[in-house]
Amino acid sequence: MLPDLRYPLPIAGALYFLCLKYDNIYKRYQAVYSPYKLADTPEFQTPIDLKLTSGSVPAWLNGIMYRVGPGKFNIKQTDGSTFSIKHAFDGLPFMHRFEINGSAQTLKYNSRLLAGTVERNIREKTYKGLVFFGHVPTVSFFKWLQEAYYRVTIMVLKIDSNKGDSEPDSQCVGVTASTNFPLPSDCAKEDRVLVSKTDANILQKIHADTLVPEKLFTYTSYDKKLQGQFSAAHHQFDPETKEIFNFTLSFAPLPRMIVFSTSEDGKAKVLADITHRSDKSRFQAPYIHSLWLTKNYIIIPESPLVYQDKGLNLLLNGSVLSSMTWVTNAPTYFHVISRKGGGLIASIPTTGFFTFHVANGFDTIDKNGDEILSLDCAAFSNGNIMHQLNKFGGLHSKQAYDAPTPDTINGMSFPPHRQTCFGDMKRFTVNLTQQKVINTEIICCNMDFPRYNQLYCFTDHQFLYGCELKGFTEKTDESSYLVKVNLSTKSGTRYGQEGYNCSEPIFVPSPNATTEDDGILLSLVNNAECCFLVVIDATNMKELARFTIGQFSAVTFHGSFVDHEFKNINLN
Ligand SMILES: *[C@@H]1O[C@H](CO)[C@@H](O)[C@H](O)[C@H]1NC(C)=O
Ligand SMILES: *[C@@H]1O[C@H](CO)[C@@H](O)[C@H](O)[C@H]1NC(C)=O
Ligand SMILES: *[C@@H]1O[C@H](CO)[C@@H](O)[C@H](O)[C@H]1NC(C)=O
Ligand SMILES: *[C@@H]1O[C@H](CO)[C@@H](O)[C@H](O)[C@H]1NC(C)=O
Ligand SMILES: *[C@@H]1O[C@H](CO)[C@@H](O)[C@H](O)[C@H]1NC(C)=O
Ligand SMILES: *[C@@H]1O[C@H](CO)[C@@H](O)[C@H](O)[C@H]1NC(C)=O
Ligand SMILES: *[C@@H]1O[C@H](CO)[C@@H](O)[C@H](O)[C@H]1NC(C)=O
Ligand SMILES: [Fe+2]
């Protein structure tokens, strides 16, 4: 079938010849990723009522946890073939809702696929210009050309030509779940707002109870100036001023970062428009997944993990990952932006590292009156992790993809080694007067998905909670434990056992808490038999209660918790 060519075919032809200049990594991706089949998660559109499986829930724990993650990987197409998505990050997203009633000791659970129109377009083969994080579909040459053509028209020329492109479930948006998110002023005011977010400049409003997708919008709906293809899936939030901080990033025609805040009423304010570092050097568009906020500053980490070709590769092959490159021996910069006056204050270099997830950050004044920033994050010393994520949370196979002679692609090890640990939780101390990183310290090795008691944000607090990866050995299966770290002693306490895959823990303080760790952690755990919700005493990391959800796996990245009045308790 000939595409509806509103723009001349020669554009597509020219793109193809440009593409031939690149390394043919497409086939290598296919070879490495295609043996893996990822399992689908069943949908529970109608809520199910669950009773405690064991233990007891604190009577004060009443509220809703939302978690989001990839759920659908295998789509039966009308011609009988199956479109199998081979990268865990690219599964069509599901939102999961867990309503906990501590006084009744019950749990109500429902879940929903957030991208029904994408699924339908894949099923009926009517999709146009799909973009995945790492998955590269096997398609004919003609389909490849057609897809590249549509990506150019959709992403660059901003002409969306998908069937049902205005449907609220026509995009995959499923990395973070945020409650009480300010909506653009053209949206009707509502008491209970749930929004799903990802690393692209796109947000999806979802019904807080039924989880039905209701609207898609971009940050441009808040302010015309907020243009750009990318952003960070994790924003920052000041509970006191109720402002949200974020940025948009364009990779073409020139890399540019626009840092902004949105207030409670949905008004956006541009704080910095960055095209150069503070030393006037230009940067390549980096991949950024989260940023820090302190009382006075916004700090954006610019790692040497960049879109190497102004996004051309992404446009051609529809894979974000194949467009990324790790620049060996290049520094990571902390871009420090003032919350008060706005503007880029400094771009401070340190030894190159990459982070998905920042933890807390705070600013203090030392005895000489100099400003010191303390910035915690889960740091990887290179970009190899990017190729290791393709079966995150997926089924284990003893035929490890540890190839005997690993090579590199774009500065990252390939085929990837099996991931044996996360990065290290580190604290970077920055002297803002000197514009220098004065100390780098390991808080805890092998830790990611950091969360903490949000009543202590922007302060020199005591405890971080997160996940720890226990690598696969001949004897033991790969597992992920929960870990609590005392930031002063750097000692850790753990929860878990072999075969448990614990997801990011969400801290909920007890109502009359007087200490930082007086509260519980919520985590969704998968093991070989089932998926269950666990409530853990955060003071000693002992299990308090468990609800079995069902005989399946539900992979989720992140979540948020609101109390029974829908007030934010721990927000992502
Ligand atoms: C993109 O896909 C084309 C067609 O399969 C392939 O020839 C080319 O090498 C790919 N480019 C990259 C960078 O993977
Ligand atoms: C919890 O369950 C009890 C008993 O069914 C009910 O009376 C109460 O309203 C519920 N609490 C919340 C916050 O829904
Ligand atoms: C940050 O902004 C981008 C759009 O620029 C959006 O896609 C992303 O979801 C936002 N993240 C948060 C957490 O607000
Ligand atoms: C846990 O996740 C890892 C990969 O992240 C996977 O290899 C393992 O099989 C998973 N285990 C279960 C029980 O799901
Ligand atoms: C920060 O830098 C200033 C200026 O060089 C210096 O006087 C001060 O001692 C430094 N503070 C710390 C904690 O390093
Ligand atoms: C954490 O470490 C500090 C400093 O050693 C200590 O005072 C505190 O009791 C520790 N807390 C816990 C819960 O271990
Ligand atoms: C918290 O304190 C209030 C007021 O003293 C009391 O009514 C309530 O029962 C306490 N809640 C818990 C969970 O201890
Ligand atoms: Fe994340």
Side-chain angles (χ1 to χ4, degrees), residues 89 168 185:
F89 277 26
S185 39

Side-chain angles (χ1 to χ4, degrees), residues 58-131:
W60 55 261
L61 186 63
N62 289 291
I64 306 165
M65 171 171 75
Y66 292 100
R67 298 194 67 88
V68 68
K72 184 141 187 111
F73 298 92
N74 306 289
I75 299 147
K76 250 239 148 58
Q77 293 181 301
T78 38
D79 64 0
S81 58
T82 303
F83 185 101
S84 286
I85 296 171
K86 301 294 186 186
H87 196 291
F89 277 26
D90 291 316
L92 305 185
F94 269 49
M95 182 70 79
H96 303 266
R97 181 182 188 276
F98 305 86
E99 184 176 340
I100 305 169
N101 183 327
S103 30
Q105 302 282 305
T106 55
L107 175 73
K108 184 184 268 188
Y109 168 73
N110 58 321
S111 66
R112 193 178 277 266
L113 172 70
L114 301 179
T117 296
V118 179
E119 185 195 20
R120 192 163 55 251
N121 279 328
I122 292 177
R123 183 172 356 104
E124 292 167 6
K125 297 196 171 179
T126 49
Y127 63 86
K128 289 172 182 164
L130 282 184
V131 175

Side-chain angles (χ1 to χ4, degrees), residues 366 368 370 372 431 434 438:
D366 74 358
N368 311 321
D370 295 296
I372 309 294
N431 185 332
Q434 280 175 321
I438 53 173

Side-chain angles (χ1 to χ4, degrees), residues 415-434:
H417 283 290
R418 181 179 286 284
Q419 190 186 355
T420 53
C421 66
F422 289 131
D424 296 334
M425 188 57 58
K426 283 192 178 163
R427 173 163 298 177
F428 294 91
T429 310
V430 175
N431 185 332
L432 211 48
T433 314
Q434 280 175 321

Side-chain angles (χ1 to χ4, degrees), residues 341-352:
L344 175 66
I345 290 185
S347 306
I348 302 167
T350 189
T351 312

